[in-house]
Amino acid sequence: MQMDDFVRKLRDRKAIAAGTQKDADGQHQKGRLTARERINLLFDPDSFNEIDTLVTPRYDSYMGGKGSRYGDGVITGFGLVGGRQVFAAAQDASVMGGSLGEMHANKIVKAMKMALSYGCPFVALNDSGGARIQEGVDSLGGYARIFDANCESSGVIPQLSVILGPCAGGAVYSPGLTDFILMTENSYMFITGPEVVRSVMQENVSQEELGGGRIHATESGVAHFLSRDDKECLLKVRELLGYLPSNNQSDPPYVPPRDDPERRCPELDELVPVDPQKPYDVRRVISSIVDDGRFLEVHELWAQNMVVGFARLDGYVVGLVANQPMVLAGTVDIKASLKATHFIRICDAYNIPIITLQDVPGFLPGTSQEYGGIIRNGARLIYAYSEATVPKLMLILRKSYGGAYCVMSSKGLRGDLLYAWPNAELAVMGAAGAVNILFRGEVKAAADPKARSAELVSEYQEKFNNPYVAAARGLIDDVIEPRDSRRVLVRALRVTLSKRDRHVPKKHGISPM
Ligand code: HXC
């Protein structure tokens, strides 16, 4: 045989391995891209290197199954994203619904282990009906090995799961163990599909209602990002990777800033209403302060009373955690605690300094919160802040009441440099509530209870609701003018970046919340 023949045979096999995910008339199935098109969008042009192209599944797995023989329904390999090495696996739904058999799992685990040993992020492009039924326990064993590799890699290399089709069973638990889940409007995640729900629970529910991207982005909080389609989603993956280090021993990519680090922000003098009852959008404060106003919000549609996300300050990546007065008056509830806890764990594991912006009237009270375990879940937030050894900067914009003051990056939890604006109110609770508890009898007995109450409220405000008592005790490091926020935080960041216990081999995994 001539070399040409050998090469032709090799090319034939690789072409089969590539899969199609297209209908007979060449249209994309349900508007989704093929596994290879997805890989091409994720990686820098012509940088992807496929491995294990010629792996074949056990013969038995083809009982009743359709699809390509070579590659076993998943593309694995490595390439460059924004010039940095990244490993990936992309499931091909045209091969038995992207289901996971033994060799399919072997390929993924092999790529994950390589990513871990070379300290590169791992991106899984998921489109899978879960364990391949024909391969029985070999598929289940494959999932167990993937889960184990997920846990071993957790907190060491960034792991991103991208959900681009219907994903069920094991295909959702591996993503559940990773750092970020990105979904499209046209993708689904559920532990069992609508058919099983109907027969076991007698509940009629569509795929969208059970586990559509929008449901997971708004209701369950399983999805951290929601995109319209595959293309937008894969661009988001590239953007997100730009804020993460390759591994926990390195720093996130530094981008020399074009934005002046000493820039004043006069708009902040007016942005926050003095009246503590009036809401405003804390994201406007964030975009005023950070480089070029660019903020990548995580969990944008879930637990919106807490805002978290990445930005750059003076070119360095920072994680922002901020109360959102526009939603539930910025109170902290169970979902907000879990959202912030997960984000803080990510920042701590990957050497990303945390900047907390406080405007918080406290934890949300009531039976639904108590029954849901606000005590246990709020405690997670304390634990995460306390354990974090990255720089922790904090700025109080207005209210800083009660437990939420203590929890959110306070000095007691080893917050590094803490600042407050002059209108900040640091107190156990708001003036009206405090007067009601402390002076109920006196107000009742007064000739004009309303007037006496107003008098006491104003006295309380004068005495306690300001930043100066905290500043006098050293509980905050300075009171600053709003317009100076950016330059003050830049300077604080520069001095704290050398924090000694910032880099350690593996601090902790990112346990699912
Ligand atoms: C083998 C599968 C498969 C599977 C789908 N297919 N899932 N083959 N094993 N798990 C095949 C179908 O037979 C079909 O083959 C093709 O993939 C496309 O499937 P459709 O059903 O036509 O697609 P769609 O309508 O888009 O529905 C997708 C789906 C549905 C919602 C994912 O296929 C489904 O419900 N699959 C089963 C999901 C499930 O319950 N998995 C749990 C596995 S248990 P043809 O030849 O017709 O094209 C598990 C345990 C892990 O994962 C434990 C972890 C803790």
Side-chain angles (χ1 to χ4, degrees), residues 273-311:
V274 178
D275 177 353
Q277 311 304 328
K278 279 213 173 125
Y280 62 94
D281 189 348
V282 76
R283 289 172 300 189
R284 290 179 61 199
V285 178
I286 294 173
S287 51
S288 269
I289 292 174
V290 301
D291 291 358
D292 306 313
R294 288 184 66 179
F295 177 54
L296 177 63
E297 191 169 350
V298 177
H299 261 150
E300 183 183 349
L301 302 174
W302 184 67
Q304 291 172 313
N305 42 334
M306 187 75 85
V307 172
V308 302
F310 298 110

Side-chain angles (χ1 to χ4, degrees), residues 29-30 32 64-67 93-100 128-135 139-140 143-144 147 165-174 188 190-196 207:
Q29 280 179 7
K30 297 173 186 162
R32 299 188 191 112
K66 284 189 232 154
S94 70
V95 183
M96 289 175 276
S99 60
L100 180 135
S128 167
R132 187 176 295 160
I133 297 162
Q134 298 92 321
E135 291 201 35
S139 321
L140 299 179
Y143 265 128
F147 299 159
C167 288
V172 301
Y173 274 122
S174 171
Y188 316 97
F190 24 68
I191 52 167
T192 51
E195 288 307 326
V196 179
Q207 288 199 29

Side-chain angles (χ1 to χ4, degrees), residues 229-383:
D229 54 28
D230 288 16
K231 191 171 177 192
E232 189 182 289
C233 192
L234 291 162
L235 287 175
K236 187 72 83 183
V237 175
R238 289 177 59 88
E239 187 184 357
L240 177 58
L241 283 170
Y243 286 103
L244 300 171
S246 294
N247 57 64
N248 69 337
Q249 299 279 16
S250 53
D251 288 325
Y254 168 81
V255 175
R258 284 171 307 179
D259 203 348
D260 178 6
E262 294 286 309
R263 172 172 59 78
R264 292 235 158 52
C265 315
E267 66 280 8
L268 292 180
D269 292 343
E270 306 297 327
L271 205 151
V272 175
V274 178
D275 177 353
Q277 311 304 328
K278 279 213 173 125
Y280 62 94
D281 189 348
V282 76
R283 289 172 300 189
R284 290 179 61 199
V285 178
I286 294 173
S287 51
S288 269
I289 292 174
V290 301
D291 291 358
D292 306 313
R294 288 184 66 179
F295 177 54
L296 177 63
E297 191 169 350
V298 177
H299 261 150
E300 183 183 349
L301 302 174
W302 184 67
Q304 291 172 313
N305 42 334
M306 187 75 85
V307 172
V308 302
F310 298 110
R312 282 193 164 76
L313 192 66
D314 194 25
Y316 299 101
V317 173
V318 291
L320 286 123
V321 179
N323 309 111
Q324 173 58 287
M326 278 201 331
V327 180
L328 291 174
T331 48
V332 180
D333 62 354
I334 293 170
K335 287 181 180 177
S337 300
L338 295 178
K339 175 172 170 175
T341 301
H342 172 263
F343 186 71
I344 290 164
R345 303 290 281 171
I346 296 265
C347 290
D348 189 41
Y350 298 124
N351 309 316
I352 300 172
I354 300 162
I355 299 181
T356 303
L357 302 181
Q358 269 198 31
D359 188 346
V360 57
F363 281 94
L364 183 67
T367 48
S368 80
Q369 291 296 306
E370 296 291 356
Y371 294 175
I374 183 74
I375 296 172
R376 173 168 34 90
N377 291 300
R380 294 186 206 224
L381 185 54
I382 306 177
Y383 201 97

